[in-house]
Amino acid sequence: MLKYLSLPPHPLYQGGIEKDCHLFDIWKERLNNLIPLDYYWMQHQNRDKYWRHGSICEDYSKISCPVLLIGGFSDLYNSSIFRLINQLECPKRAILGPWGHQWPDDAYPGPQIGFLQELVQWLDYYIKGIDNGYGNKQILSVFQLHPNIDELHSIVKERKGKWIHFNSLPSYPYEHFQRNDHLIYKNQQIDTKQIQYYLSFQLCHSIWTSFTYRISPQETGLSSGNLLGLGFIDKPDHPTDQREDDGRSLCFESLPLHHDYELFGFPFVKLNLSSNSKNGLICVRLCMIEEKSSSSILISRGILNLTHYKSHEHPQQLNVDEIYNVEVTLSGVCVCLPTGCRLRLSLSTSYWPIVWPSSQLS
């Protein structure tokens, strides 16, 4: 964002200036007073007033106007689409595609949609009051991803999958409310006739009866891709084969799947763990292991600063070697996993460059 904030003023859009004013002087003043956003963010590492004032989840009921939600699975903010469509009580519709952080008629990876046509229909119905049938559309349209080895490249032009549409809502984690100090919880589930839940599938086919000690190398995460996929065809945003990062992680695998599995909503994992330092993190990745090549394809991931395991507003340092019961929610997913593949759950204590390293390895 810094490069956008530092752009020169445009003569057609710069308001409040006289015709003879020098735009270069305005630009120079802007640059001299520009402060990177990181400066503010580093001063507010907990959930305080700085974050609360612009957070919708403080009170969803304040939104009463119709809402059209657009998001992409390659974008950082795709999970917010799940949260909003679940909690808003106003007229709403959500479209969640495979895209990055761009408009869906031009974003990559594809397939793209006719976003302007969708927007005109929505505005005609809710703003102009034209009865064009838009209100009869199902509230959620999601591009179900079909992971495959052909997409294990940093640049992917188009994802394989299909569009699915329904009025039921995805699963929503209680953990989100708990760590943000909310007491509201809605136990809403999707219609299992349209798509099946297997998010509580037993991953481990063996039971671990002893503790496993693990410190991940700091370079764990180099196969992660860009957390905020920009959505341009020439940007290497896409996660690559995860086997390199899996080798630096503690992994659990399922048996081969006997039939296709459809996952939709928020996967989560419950862990009993301890730390050798007062600070630490845990990164959880859910991957699909392709049957023939054994390639590891990233499905979803979640990262938790362990000092925030109870609250993002009031973090607490860990007691060394004390066992904690931790729940980590991964990013929202909508995928169909093919028969014969396996699921792999990978745990690591570092995830560079997405997460800054701790002062001490843990």
Side-chain angles (χ1 to χ4, degrees):
M1 290 300 297
L2 184 62
K3 68 177 182 180
Y4 294 111
L5 295 174
S6 60
L7 289 174
H10 195 289
L12 295 180
Y13 306 121
Q14 177 67 36
I17 62 174
E18 303 297 333
K19 291 183 179 180
D20 58 349
C21 183
H22 295 288
L23 292 176
F24 180 80
D25 294 334
I26 298 177
W27 186 22
K28 185 177 180 180
E29 181 182 2
R30 176 184 298 176
L31 294 176
N32 289 336
N33 292 280
L34 182 62
I35 299 177
L37 292 174
D38 309 61
Y39 173 79
Y40 299 104
W41 295 345
M42 293 299 293
Q43 293 181 336
H44 300 275
Q45 298 189 45
N46 304 333
R47 185 176 176 81
D48 56 14
K49 292 182 179 180
Y50 178 84
W51 301 107
R52 286 187 180 278
H53 87 280
S55 181
I56 295 175
C57 72
E58 292 297 308
D59 188 356
Y60 289 100
S61 65
K62 288 185 177 181
I63 300 178
S64 57
C65 65
V67 173
L68 177 61
L69 302 165
I70 305 291
F73 283 112
S74 295
D75 194 353
L76 170 62
Y77 305 105
N78 62 74
S79 291
S80 62
I81 303 296
F82 288 90
R83 297 188 179 104
L84 286 165
I85 202 66
N86 191 290
Q87 297 299 319
L88 291 177
E89 301 292 345
C90 58
K92 57 193 175 183
R93 172 162 161 75
I95 304 174
L96 190 56
W99 321 295
H101 197 67
Q102 296 295 324
W103 298 110
D105 54 348
D106 194 40
Y108 289 92
Q112 293 79 24
I113 63 170
F115 172 63
L116 294 180
Q117 291 86 338
E118 181 84 23
L119 189 59
V120 168
Q121 293 179 35
W122 186 84
L123 291 172
D124 282 346
Y125 184 80
Y126 286 109
I127 304 300
K128 294 183 178 180
I130 299 175
D131 188 7
N132 56 10
Y134 194 90
N136 297 325
K137 281 192 173 185
Q138 292 172 301
I139 64 172
L140 195 52
S141 296
V142 184
F143 189 78
Q144 184 188 70
L145 298 171
H146 296 174
N148 60 89
I149 59 174
D150 294 333
E151 297 172 357
L152 286 178
H153 303 281
S154 58
I155 295 178
V156 177
K157 185 176 182 180
E158 187 164 308
R159 300 291 304 271
K160 293 182 180 179
K162 66 177 182 180
W163 285 99
I164 56 177
H165 314 273
F166 38 82
N167 283 317
S168 302
L169 301 179
S171 67
Y172 192 78
Y174 172 71
E175 167 269 337
H176 173 74
F177 290 114
Q178 185 182 42
R179 293 210 185 102
N180 289 286
D181 299 325
H182 291 281
L183 299 177
I184 306 171
Y185 176 56
K186 297 184 179 180
N187 186 21
Q188 295 173 303
Q189 291 189 346
I190 193 171
D191 185 356
T192 55
K193 294 181 180 179
Q194 298 190 47
I195 191 168
Q196 300 177 39
Y197 265 108
Y198 290 95
L199 297 185
S200 60
F201 177 76
Q202 184 68 34
L203 279 173
C204 307
H205 56 81
S206 61
I207 300 177
W208 290 66
T209 57
S210 60
F211 288 104
T212 301
Y213 185 74
R214 184 73 182 185
I215 296 180
S216 301
Q218 191 55 62
E219 63 268 25
T220 307
L222 293 179
S223 305
S224 62
N226 190 348
L227 186 63
L228 174 59
L230 297 178
F232 298 115
I233 187 58
D234 59 342
K235 300 296 182 182
D237 291 334
H238 199 67
T240 54
D241 195 323
Q242 298 293 294
R243 281 180 287 186
E244 186 175 355
D245 283 341
D246 290 347
R248 304 183 180 112
S249 307
L250 177 64
C251 297
F252 303 88
E253 286 189 14
S254 73
L255 295 171
L257 304 183
H258 297 299
H259 53 81
D260 292 355
Y261 275 73
E262 293 179 309
L263 308 183
F264 183 70
F266 289 90
F268 67 91
V269 59
K270 294 183 178 181
L271 303 170
N272 295 329
L273 52 79
S274 62
S275 175
N276 64 344
S277 68
K278 295 182 178 180
N279 302 292
L281 68 89
I282 188 73
C283 174
V284 181
R285 290 178 294 113
L286 179 63
C287 300
M288 184 196 90
I289 309 304
E290 205 268 338
E291 181 180 13
K292 295 182 179 180
S293 67
S294 296
S295 298
S296 181
I297 304 172
L298 182 64
I299 301 299
S300 181
R301 59 190 164 198
I303 304 169
L304 177 63
N305 180 338
L306 292 176
T307 63
H308 290 232
Y309 86 101
K310 279 189 175 180
S311 170
H312 291 308
E313 185 175 4
H314 305 291
Q316 300 175 356
Q317 285 193 322
L318 304 173
N319 296 323
V320 175
D321 293 334
E322 180 178 335
I323 298 177
Y324 293 89
N325 300 317
V326 174
E327 183 172 312
V328 182
T329 300
L330 282 63
S331 57
V333 297
C334 183
V335 297
C336 181
L337 306 177
T339 303
C341 76
R342 288 170 286 133
L343 289 173
R344 175 178 292 167
L345 190 69
S346 301
L347 311 179
S348 62
T349 58
S350 59
Y351 202 54
W352 174 262
I354 289 179
V355 180
W356 281 17
S358 300
S359 57
Q360 176 183 351
L361 289 177
S362 60

